[in-house]
mmCIF file of all heavy atoms in Angstrom:
data_model
loop_
_atom_site.group_PDB
_atom_site.id
_atom_site.type_symbol
_atom_site.label_atom_id
_atom_site.label_comp_id
_atom_site.label_asym_id
_atom_site.label_seq_id
_atom_site.Cartn_x
_atom_site.Cartn_y
_atom_site.Cartn_z
ATOM 1 N N SER A 18 8.793 -5.963 2.484
ATOM 2 C CA SER A 18 8.859 -5.976 1.022
ATOM 3 C C SER A 18 7.585 -6.586 0.461
ATOM 4 O O SER A 18 6.994 -7.463 1.091
ATOM 5 C CB SER A 18 10.059 -6.794 0.541
ATOM 6 O OG SER A 18 11.280 -6.245 0.980
ATOM 7 N N CYS A 19 7.205 -6.132 -0.705
ATOM 8 C CA CYS A 19 6.041 -6.681 -1.418
ATOM 9 C C CYS A 19 6.478 -6.944 -2.855
ATOM 10 O O CYS A 19 6.625 -6.009 -3.650
ATOM 11 C CB CYS A 19 4.878 -5.714 -1.378
ATOM 12 S SG CYS A 19 3.476 -6.194 -2.412
ATOM 13 N N ALA A 20 6.700 -8.208 -3.178
ATOM 14 C CA ALA A 20 7.095 -8.599 -4.523
ATOM 15 C C ALA A 20 5.844 -8.819 -5.367
ATOM 16 O O ALA A 20 4.953 -9.573 -4.968
ATOM 17 C CB ALA A 20 7.931 -9.864 -4.475
ATOM 18 N N ALA A 21 5.794 -8.164 -6.521
ATOM 19 C CA ALA A 21 4.587 -8.180 -7.346
ATOM 20 C C ALA A 21 4.840 -8.838 -8.693
ATOM 21 O O ALA A 21 5.948 -8.784 -9.237
ATOM 22 C CB ALA A 21 4.091 -6.755 -7.560
ATOM 23 N N SER A 22 3.799 -9.457 -9.232
ATOM 24 C CA SER A 22 3.871 -10.048 -10.569
ATOM 25 C C SER A 22 2.473 -10.136 -11.154
ATOM 26 O O SER A 22 1.479 -10.025 -10.441
ATOM 27 C CB SER A 22 4.508 -11.439 -10.510
ATOM 28 O OG SER A 22 3.740 -12.311 -9.724
ATOM 29 N N GLY A 23 2.407 -10.308 -12.485
ATOM 30 C CA GLY A 23 1.123 -10.512 -13.143
ATOM 31 C C GLY A 23 0.449 -9.244 -13.626
ATOM 32 O O GLY A 23 -0.682 -9.309 -14.139
ATOM 33 N N PHE A 24 1.117 -8.110 -13.471
ATOM 34 C CA PHE A 24 0.573 -6.851 -13.976
ATOM 35 C C PHE A 24 1.743 -5.903 -14.215
ATOM 36 O O PHE A 24 2.877 -6.200 -13.845
ATOM 37 C CB PHE A 24 -0.435 -6.254 -12.986
ATOM 38 C CG PHE A 24 0.139 -5.866 -11.650
ATOM 39 C CD1 PHE A 24 0.479 -4.559 -11.358
ATOM 40 C CD2 PHE A 24 0.342 -6.829 -10.661
ATOM 41 C CE1 PHE A 24 1.008 -4.215 -10.119
ATOM 42 C CE2 PHE A 24 0.870 -6.491 -9.422
ATOM 43 C CZ PHE A 24 1.211 -5.174 -9.150
ATOM 44 N N THR A 25 1.435 -4.772 -14.840
ATOM 45 C CA THR A 25 2.480 -3.794 -15.134
ATOM 46 C C THR A 25 2.752 -2.974 -13.879
ATOM 47 O O THR A 25 2.085 -1.962 -13.624
ATOM 48 C CB THR A 25 2.077 -2.899 -16.311
ATOM 49 O OG1 THR A 25 1.734 -3.721 -17.428
ATOM 50 C CG2 THR A 25 3.232 -1.981 -16.689
ATOM 51 N N PHE A 26 3.726 -3.416 -13.120
ATOM 52 C CA PHE A 26 3.994 -2.820 -11.813
ATOM 53 C C PHE A 26 4.272 -1.326 -11.923
ATOM 54 O O PHE A 26 3.780 -0.550 -11.113
ATOM 55 C CB PHE A 26 5.180 -3.538 -11.166
ATOM 56 C CG PHE A 26 5.522 -3.047 -9.790
ATOM 57 C CD1 PHE A 26 4.778 -3.461 -8.686
ATOM 58 C CD2 PHE A 26 6.589 -2.188 -9.574
ATOM 59 C CE1 PHE A 26 5.092 -3.015 -7.403
ATOM 60 C CE2 PHE A 26 6.903 -1.737 -8.314
ATOM 61 C CZ PHE A 26 6.150 -2.154 -7.218
ATOM 62 N N SER A 27 5.026 -0.931 -12.916
ATOM 63 C CA SER A 27 5.439 0.470 -13.032
ATOM 64 C C SER A 27 4.286 1.416 -13.345
ATOM 65 O O SER A 27 4.460 2.639 -13.279
ATOM 66 C CB SER A 27 6.523 0.603 -14.102
ATOM 67 O OG SER A 27 6.038 0.168 -15.351
ATOM 68 N N SER A 28 3.127 0.862 -13.653
ATOM 69 C CA SER A 28 1.960 1.693 -13.950
ATOM 70 C C SER A 28 0.946 1.715 -12.812
ATOM 71 O O SER A 28 -0.109 2.337 -12.948
ATOM 72 C CB SER A 28 1.264 1.189 -15.221
ATOM 73 O OG SER A 28 2.114 1.295 -16.342
ATOM 74 N N ALA A 29 1.242 1.037 -11.733
ATOM 75 C CA ALA A 29 0.252 0.846 -10.675
ATOM 76 C C ALA A 29 0.661 1.517 -9.372
ATOM 77 O O ALA A 29 1.797 1.365 -8.912
ATOM 78 C CB ALA A 29 0.041 -0.649 -10.422
ATOM 79 N N ALA A 30 -0.288 2.240 -8.773
ATOM 80 C CA ALA A 30 -0.083 2.708 -7.405
ATOM 81 C C ALA A 30 -0.144 1.506 -6.462
ATOM 82 O O ALA A 30 -0.847 0.537 -6.726
ATOM 83 C CB ALA A 30 -1.162 3.717 -7.028
ATOM 84 N N MET A 31 0.607 1.586 -5.389
ATOM 85 C CA MET A 31 0.651 0.497 -4.416
ATOM 86 C C MET A 31 0.330 1.042 -3.027
ATOM 87 O O MET A 31 0.579 2.212 -2.728
ATOM 88 C CB MET A 31 2.049 -0.145 -4.390
ATOM 89 C CG MET A 31 2.479 -0.773 -5.709
ATOM 90 S SD MET A 31 1.473 -2.176 -6.175
ATOM 91 C CE MET A 31 1.830 -3.301 -4.827
ATOM 92 N N SER A 32 -0.208 0.174 -2.196
ATOM 93 C CA SER A 32 -0.568 0.588 -0.846
ATOM 94 C C SER A 32 -0.167 -0.482 0.158
ATOM 95 O O SER A 32 -0.104 -1.667 -0.187
ATOM 96 C CB SER A 32 -2.079 0.812 -0.736
ATOM 97 O OG SER A 32 -2.542 1.758 -1.660
ATOM 98 N N TRP A 33 0.093 -0.035 1.371
ATOM 99 C CA TRP A 33 0.279 -0.932 2.511
ATOM 100 C C TRP A 33 -0.881 -0.699 3.483
ATOM 101 O O TRP A 33 -1.220 0.453 3.792
ATOM 102 C CB TRP A 33 1.594 -0.655 3.222
ATOM 103 C CG TRP A 33 2.799 -1.173 2.515
ATOM 104 C CD1 TRP A 33 3.621 -0.486 1.673
ATOM 105 C CD2 TRP A 33 3.328 -2.496 2.593
ATOM 106 N NE1 TRP A 33 4.631 -1.302 1.211
ATOM 107 C CE2 TRP A 33 4.473 -2.550 1.768
ATOM 108 C CE3 TRP A 33 2.950 -3.654 3.276
ATOM 109 C CZ2 TRP A 33 5.255 -3.699 1.619
ATOM 110 C CZ3 TRP A 33 3.721 -4.791 3.124
ATOM 111 C CH2 TRP A 33 4.853 -4.817 2.302
ATOM 112 N N TYR A 34 -1.447 -1.795 3.964
ATOM 113 C CA TYR A 34 -2.489 -1.769 4.978
ATOM 114 C C TYR A 34 -2.021 -2.633 6.154
ATOM 115 O O TYR A 34 -1.094 -3.422 6.042
ATOM 116 C CB TYR A 34 -3.795 -2.361 4.429
ATOM 117 C CG TYR A 34 -4.568 -1.457 3.507
ATOM 118 C CD1 TYR A 34 -4.115 -1.187 2.225
ATOM 119 C CD2 TYR A 34 -5.768 -0.879 3.917
ATOM 120 C CE1 TYR A 34 -4.838 -0.366 1.368
ATOM 121 C CE2 TYR A 34 -6.499 -0.059 3.075
ATOM 122 C CZ TYR A 34 -6.029 0.194 1.801
ATOM 123 O OH TYR A 34 -6.751 1.009 0.956
ATOM 124 N N ARG A 35 -2.728 -2.494 7.255
ATOM 125 C CA ARG A 35 -2.478 -3.370 8.390
ATOM 126 C C ARG A 35 -3.788 -3.679 9.106
ATOM 127 O O ARG A 35 -4.728 -2.898 9.051
ATOM 128 C CB ARG A 35 -1.474 -2.765 9.370
ATOM 129 C CG ARG A 35 -1.958 -1.520 10.103
ATOM 130 C CD ARG A 35 -0.819 -0.943 10.939
ATOM 131 N NE ARG A 35 -1.240 0.249 11.673
ATOM 132 C CZ ARG A 35 -0.414 1.018 12.369
ATOM 133 N NH1 ARG A 35 0.888 0.722 12.427
ATOM 134 N NH2 ARG A 35 -0.878 2.077 13.017
ATOM 135 N N GLN A 36 -3.795 -4.814 9.777
ATOM 136 C CA GLN A 36 -4.963 -5.220 10.544
ATOM 137 C C GLN A 36 -4.498 -5.818 11.860
ATOM 138 O O GLN A 36 -3.813 -6.849 11.865
ATOM 139 C CB GLN A 36 -5.828 -6.211 9.776
ATOM 140 C CG GLN A 36 -7.148 -6.517 10.458
ATOM 141 C CD GLN A 36 -8.125 -7.214 9.549
ATOM 142 O OE1 GLN A 36 -7.755 -7.810 8.542
ATOM 143 N NE2 GLN A 36 -9.399 -7.140 9.895
ATOM 144 N N ALA A 37 -4.875 -5.147 12.944
ATOM 145 C CA ALA A 37 -4.565 -5.639 14.283
ATOM 146 C C ALA A 37 -5.714 -6.523 14.758
ATOM 147 O O ALA A 37 -6.850 -6.393 14.277
ATOM 148 C CB ALA A 37 -4.366 -4.469 15.232
ATOM 149 N N PRO A 38 -5.463 -7.420 15.710
ATOM 150 C CA PRO A 38 -6.525 -8.307 16.216
ATOM 151 C C PRO A 38 -7.720 -7.511 16.710
ATOM 152 O O PRO A 38 -7.570 -6.557 17.480
ATOM 153 C CB PRO A 38 -5.832 -9.047 17.360
ATOM 154 C CG PRO A 38 -4.393 -9.014 17.008
ATOM 155 C CD PRO A 38 -4.165 -7.712 16.326
ATOM 156 N N GLY A 39 -8.899 -7.876 16.239
ATOM 157 C CA GLY A 39 -10.127 -7.234 16.678
ATOM 158 C C GLY A 39 -10.394 -5.875 16.068
ATOM 159 O O GLY A 39 -11.355 -5.199 16.452
ATOM 160 N N LYS A 40 -9.555 -5.457 15.133
ATOM 161 C CA LYS A 40 -9.720 -4.145 14.509
ATOM 162 C C LYS A 40 -9.902 -4.281 13.008
ATOM 163 O O LYS A 40 -9.556 -5.300 12.414
ATOM 164 C CB LYS A 40 -8.515 -3.259 14.823
ATOM 165 C CG LYS A 40 -8.365 -2.916 16.290
ATOM 166 C CD LYS A 40 -7.251 -1.904 16.503
ATOM 167 C CE LYS A 40 -7.122 -1.504 17.959
ATOM 168 N NZ LYS A 40 -6.049 -0.496 18.163
ATOM 169 N N GLU A 41 -10.421 -3.228 12.406
ATOM 170 C CA GLU A 41 -10.588 -3.221 10.965
ATOM 171 C C GLU A 41 -9.240 -2.976 10.277
ATOM 172 O O GLU A 41 -8.332 -2.382 10.842
ATOM 173 C CB GLU A 41 -11.579 -2.130 10.553
ATOM 174 C CG GLU A 41 -12.998 -2.386 11.017
ATOM 175 C CD GLU A 41 -13.985 -1.374 10.474
ATOM 176 O OE1 GLU A 41 -13.548 -0.418 9.813
ATOM 177 O OE2 GLU A 41 -15.191 -1.532 10.719
ATOM 178 N N ARG A 42 -9.164 -3.446 9.044
ATOM 179 C CA ARG A 42 -7.962 -3.196 8.253
ATOM 180 C C ARG A 42 -7.884 -1.695 7.953
ATOM 181 O O ARG A 42 -8.887 -1.068 7.604
ATOM 182 C CB ARG A 42 -8.014 -4.001 6.958
ATOM 183 C CG ARG A 42 -6.702 -4.075 6.209
ATOM 184 C CD ARG A 42 -6.777 -5.066 5.073
ATOM 185 N NE ARG A 42 -6.976 -6.438 5.556
ATOM 186 C CZ ARG A 42 -6.904 -7.512 4.773
ATOM 187 N NH1 ARG A 42 -6.637 -7.368 3.472
ATOM 188 N NH2 ARG A 42 -7.103 -8.705 5.273
ATOM 189 N N GLU A 43 -6.694 -1.122 8.093
ATOM 190 C CA GLU A 43 -6.534 0.307 7.879
ATOM 191 C C GLU A 43 -5.380 0.604 6.923
ATOM 192 O O GLU A 43 -4.385 -0.127 6.880
ATOM 193 C CB GLU A 43 -6.279 1.030 9.219
ATOM 194 C CG GLU A 43 -5.008 0.633 9.924
ATOM 195 C CD GLU A 43 -4.720 1.479 11.164
ATOM 196 O OE1 GLU A 43 -5.453 2.455 11.426
ATOM 197 O OE2 GLU A 43 -3.735 1.167 11.862
ATOM 198 N N LEU A 44 -5.534 1.702 6.196
ATOM 199 C CA LEU A 44 -4.489 2.141 5.277
ATOM 200 C C LEU A 44 -3.323 2.714 6.073
ATOM 201 O O LEU A 44 -3.510 3.551 6.951
ATOM 202 C CB LEU A 44 -5.043 3.192 4.327
ATOM 203 C CG LEU A 44 -4.043 3.838 3.366
ATOM 204 C CD1 LEU A 44 -3.504 2.822 2.379
ATOM 205 C CD2 LEU A 44 -4.717 4.997 2.638
ATOM 206 N N VAL A 45 -2.124 2.260 5.747
ATOM 207 C CA VAL A 45 -0.915 2.749 6.400
ATOM 208 C C VAL A 45 -0.192 3.756 5.511
ATOM 209 O O VAL A 45 0.185 4.841 5.957
ATOM 210 C CB VAL A 45 0.031 1.578 6.732
ATOM 211 C CG1 VAL A 45 1.353 2.098 7.297
ATOM 212 C CG2 VAL A 45 -0.627 0.614 7.705
ATOM 213 N N ALA A 46 0.003 3.390 4.242
ATOM 214 C CA ALA A 46 0.746 4.261 3.327
ATOM 215 C C ALA A 46 0.423 3.885 1.895
ATOM 216 O O ALA A 46 0.069 2.745 1.607
ATOM 217 C CB ALA A 46 2.248 4.144 3.571
ATOM 218 N N GLY A 47 0.573 4.871 1.002
ATOM 219 C CA GLY A 47 0.368 4.632 -0.416
ATOM 220 C C GLY A 47 1.442 5.341 -1.224
ATOM 221 O O GLY A 47 2.029 6.324 -0.758
ATOM 222 N N ILE A 48 1.683 4.836 -2.423
ATOM 223 C CA ILE A 48 2.694 5.430 -3.295
ATOM 224 C C ILE A 48 2.212 5.367 -4.730
ATOM 225 O O ILE A 48 1.624 4.375 -5.163
ATOM 226 C CB ILE A 48 4.056 4.717 -3.113
ATOM 227 C CG1 ILE A 48 5.161 5.450 -3.864
ATOM 228 C CG2 ILE A 48 3.971 3.245 -3.519
ATOM 229 C CD1 ILE A 48 6.563 4.987 -3.464
ATOM 230 N N SER A 49 2.445 6.452 -5.463
ATOM 231 C CA SER A 49 2.030 6.507 -6.861
ATOM 232 C C SER A 49 2.910 5.598 -7.713
ATOM 233 O O SER A 49 3.932 5.087 -7.247
ATOM 234 C CB SER A 49 2.112 7.945 -7.357
ATOM 235 O OG SER A 49 3.459 8.406 -7.312
ATOM 236 N N SER A 50 2.538 5.453 -8.955
ATOM 237 C CA SER A 50 3.232 4.523 -9.846
ATOM 238 C C SER A 50 4.705 4.887 -10.044
ATOM 239 O O SER A 50 5.558 4.005 -10.160
ATOM 240 C CB SER A 50 2.531 4.450 -11.198
ATOM 241 O OG SER A 50 2.491 5.731 -11.803
ATOM 242 N N THR A 51 4.983 6.181 -10.075
ATOM 243 C CA THR A 51 6.375 6.613 -10.270
ATOM 244 C C THR A 51 7.120 6.794 -8.953
ATOM 245 O O THR A 51 8.329 6.991 -8.948
ATOM 246 C CB THR A 51 6.422 7.942 -11.023
ATOM 247 O OG1 THR A 51 5.772 8.943 -10.221
ATOM 248 C CG2 THR A 51 5.731 7.837 -12.372
ATOM 249 N N GLY A 52 6.389 6.773 -7.857
ATOM 250 C CA GLY A 52 7.001 7.011 -6.552
ATOM 251 C C GLY A 52 7.044 8.470 -6.163
ATOM 252 O O GLY A 52 7.514 8.812 -5.091
ATOM 253 N N GLY A 53 6.520 9.326 -7.022
ATOM 254 C CA GLY A 53 6.615 10.756 -6.774
ATOM 255 C C GLY A 53 5.639 11.277 -5.734
ATOM 256 O O GLY A 53 5.844 12.363 -5.181
ATOM 257 N N ILE A 54 4.583 10.515 -5.487
ATOM 258 C CA ILE A 54 3.578 10.930 -4.506
ATOM 259 C C ILE A 54 3.411 9.822 -3.482
ATOM 260 O O ILE A 54 3.217 8.660 -3.846
ATOM 261 C CB ILE A 54 2.226 11.218 -5.191
ATOM 262 C CG1 ILE A 54 2.373 12.348 -6.209
ATOM 263 C CG2 ILE A 54 1.170 11.570 -4.148
ATOM 264 C CD1 ILE A 54 1.129 12.587 -7.038
ATOM 265 N N THR A 55 3.493 10.202 -2.222
ATOM 266 C CA THR A 55 3.296 9.254 -1.134
ATOM 267 C C THR A 55 2.307 9.840 -0.135
ATOM 268 O O THR A 55 2.209 11.062 0.025
ATOM 269 C CB THR A 55 4.610 8.930 -0.410
ATOM 270 O OG1 THR A 55 5.198 10.146 0.069
ATOM 271 C CG2 THR A 55 5.588 8.223 -1.341
ATOM 272 N N THR A 56 1.577 8.960 0.525
ATOM 273 C CA THR A 56 0.644 9.366 1.568
ATOM 274 C C THR A 56 0.797 8.437 2.755
ATOM 275 O O THR A 56 1.181 7.258 2.585
ATOM 276 C CB THR A 56 -0.811 9.327 1.078
ATOM 277 O OG1 THR A 56 -1.123 7.988 0.669
ATOM 278 C CG2 THR A 56 -1.036 10.264 -0.079
ATOM 279 N N TYR A 57 0.488 8.958 3.948
ATOM 280 C CA TYR A 57 0.655 8.186 5.175
ATOM 281 C C TYR A 57 -0.509 8.424 6.126
ATOM 282 O O TYR A 57 -1.063 9.521 6.182
ATOM 283 C CB TYR A 57 1.950 8.594 5.893
ATOM 284 C CG TYR A 57 3.197 8.316 5.103
ATOM 285 C CD1 TYR A 57 3.760 9.277 4.282
ATOM 286 C CD2 TYR A 57 3.810 7.059 5.170
ATOM 287 C CE1 TYR A 57 4.901 9.016 3.542
ATOM 288 C CE2 TYR A 57 4.962 6.789 4.434
ATOM 289 C CZ TYR A 57 5.490 7.770 3.623
ATOM 290 O OH TYR A 57 6.624 7.507 2.894
ATOM 291 N N ALA A 58 -0.828 7.407 6.884
ATOM 292 C CA ALA A 58 -1.737 7.581 8.001
ATOM 293 C C ALA A 58 -1.058 8.466 9.041
ATOM 294 O O ALA A 58 0.164 8.415 9.217
ATOM 295 C CB ALA A 58 -2.090 6.230 8.609
#
């Protein structure tokens, strides 16, 4: 879970990233502001 505050959450796209030891941070998934569009690694 990612609890957000301090901005208009419903207007913002959100993303999940991950970083394994010794590796660069990579995009895992993204979602549009309404949830209608999602993308995945």
